[in-house]
Amino acid sequence: MNRRHLLAGAAALPLAAIHPSAGHAQSGISDGVVKIGVLDDMSGVFADQQGMGDVVSARMAVEDFGGRVNGMPIELVYGDLQNRPDVGLSIARRWYDQERVDAIFGLGNSAVALAVQNLSREKQKIDVVVAAGTTDLTGKDCSPFGVHWTYDNYALARGTVGAVMNGGGRKWYFITSDYAFGHSLEANAAAVIRSLGGEVAGNARAPLGETDYSSHLVRAAQSGANVVGIAAAGTDFINIVKQMGEFGLTRRGIQPAALLCLLTNVKAIGLDTAQGMVFTEAYYWDQNDRTRAFSERFARLHGRPPTMFQASMWGAVTHYLKAVQAAGTDASAPVMAKMRETPINDFMTNNGTIRADGRVIRDMYLMKAKQPSQARGEWDLLEVAQTIPGNEAFRPLAEGGCPLVR
């Protein structure tokens, strides 16, 4: 069996042996085990920023919790969604129906996240979206069992677009990944641009995993735009920024706007190209003593500091396990009630809350890539330019269209 098949098959991690006993009925834990799944891109364009780093972080959370909750063992499984809704949905359905998984985390592709959230609503199972960005998750497709944990496309667009436009970037051309995430990110960014008096000159849609963006960049240059809004992520984002430099757009004063950028992306691009680029994040490893301490632990296991997705996976799993402990059961409804009523406090979140639409409200940060001369080490790449309070960063509750909101 090759690695892809192993990942797609959701390999179990031996965090705790399962020993069902007569006592598990009294504990309120179904099947004598609390079983959680991490479903992410393990082998594609997002694997570097999610992938096994998310699994490492989830495993850290389970081990920090002691490997058991309410006297029952915690088991962790993981799978590769392959950026295909049919694959992700098939794994999730098997986990729920056959393998008795209680909650799914990660879901680092918006199309897959929407599909799995709809299935989770049907099955009355908890899904915690850590890495997908579409705002439909807390809008028309919201779920009483769904949590959108780390960020969303509204927050990314609001923070980054405002900063770019304040710097003179008034006319935009979008290069957009042609699936739910890219469409949502472009739509959110375009709305902010127009609200601030800017102009959208045009857009190009590119399939996920595209490698040659030359035709799109030629059209962007011909549009008269002075900003290319990159509504893409992972390897796609990296390739667009690099090719903007190769085709001379940046030398002509056309600025890349990083609508979703992470630490590993900046490392791949290099500070010579990325210097001065601004973007919005939920976490940076070098913010304070607590973020540095977690990063050091994570790096010992994974070889480098975590992205915001990988860091926030720890908090998502920990918050869920605390809710199971407080509820005295792994039944979804009482666990979700505890998750909603309990403030979120960990090394990257201060007094976070889960709204009625499933949106976690947390502070976001406008990040700026350093000049090469400022970097003190291999991963000293960014600085926090501004803190964006959570109540300003995310879409107002009444504007999302979530049927759960009255």
Side-chain angles (χ1 to χ4, degrees), residues 159-172:
T160 303
V161 170
V164 172
M165 292 189 69
N166 286 340
R170 311 294 296 178
K171 189 172 182 178
W172 292 58

Side-chain angles (χ1 to χ4, degrees), residues 17-290:
I18 305 175
H19 298 295
S21 66
H24 72 75
Q26 286 78 17
S27 74
I29 303 301
S30 60
D31 307 312
V33 61
V34 174
K35 194 169 186 178
I36 61 179
V38 175
L39 185 56
D40 267 322
D41 181 359
M42 302 290 179
S43 57
V45 296
F46 308 131
D48 191 51
Q49 60 201 40
Q50 306 168 20
M52 289 306 295
D54 277 1
V55 177
V56 167
S57 190
R59 183 170 191 166
M60 290 171 65
V62 173
E63 290 175 346
D64 289 348
F65 212 81
R68 304 178 77 83
V69 58
N70 294 346
M72 294 293 110
I74 305 162
E75 185 179 348
L76 176 65
V77 297
Y78 63 88
D80 184 358
L81 51 77
Q82 299 180 33
N83 292 308
R84 291 174 49 189
D86 60 331
V87 172
L89 199 57
S90 176
I91 294 171
R93 191 179 298 278
R94 186 180 73 248
W95 280 358
Y96 287 152
D97 292 348
Q98 300 175 27
E99 300 184 27
R100 314 293 288 183
V101 167
D102 296 299
I104 296 177
F105 294 77
L107 299 167
N109 174 293
S110 288
V112 177
L114 289 167
V116 172
Q117 179 150 296
N118 287 332
L119 175 67
S120 301
R121 183 194 304 112
E122 173 192 326
K123 301 290 186 180
Q124 297 190 12
K125 296 285 190 175
I126 292 171
D127 69 284
V128 183
V129 178
V130 170
T134 177
T135 49
D136 285 348
L137 288 161
T138 55
K140 64 184 181 65
D141 292 303
C142 69
S143 165
F145 303 103
V147 180
H148 204 176
W149 186 264
T150 311
Y151 79 109
D152 63 26
N153 290 340
Y154 181 99
L156 296 185
R158 184 173 177 84
T160 303
V161 170
V164 172
M165 292 189 69
N166 286 340
R170 311 294 296 178
K171 189 172 182 178
W172 292 58
Y173 187 95
F174 285 97
I175 299 178
T176 302
S177 286
D178 194 11
Y179 76 110
F181 163 78
H183 300 171
S184 172
L185 189 51
E186 179 188 327
N188 278 278
V192 177
I193 290 164
R194 294 186 177 110
S195 74
L196 296 175
E199 178 185 352
V200 177
N203 71 339
R205 297 281 171 86
L208 190 67
E210 180 71 275
T211 57
D212 181 3
Y213 293 90
S214 57
S215 62
H216 306 315
L217 293 170
V218 167
R219 289 198 294 273
Q222 292 172 342
S223 73
N226 64 347
V227 180
V228 172
I230 305 173
T235 305
D236 292 349
F237 168 79
I238 293 166
N239 286 335
I240 294 170
V241 175
K242 286 183 173 180
Q243 290 175 33
M244 282 187 69
E246 293 165 3
F247 283 90
L249 271 68
T250 49
R251 290 193 298 275
R252 293 166 55 183
I254 301 174
Q255 177 182 358
L259 295 174
L260 175 56
C261 182
L262 292 103
L263 177 70
T264 50
N265 303 153
V266 176
K267 181 68 163 59
I269 294 166
L271 288 182
D272 285 339
T273 299
Q275 58 184 303
M277 190 164 61
V278 294
F279 54 93
T280 305
E281 284 247 38
Y283 165 89
Y284 181 52
W285 71 269
D286 199 22
Q287 282 177 273
N288 54 53
D289 289 343
R290 296 182 72 197

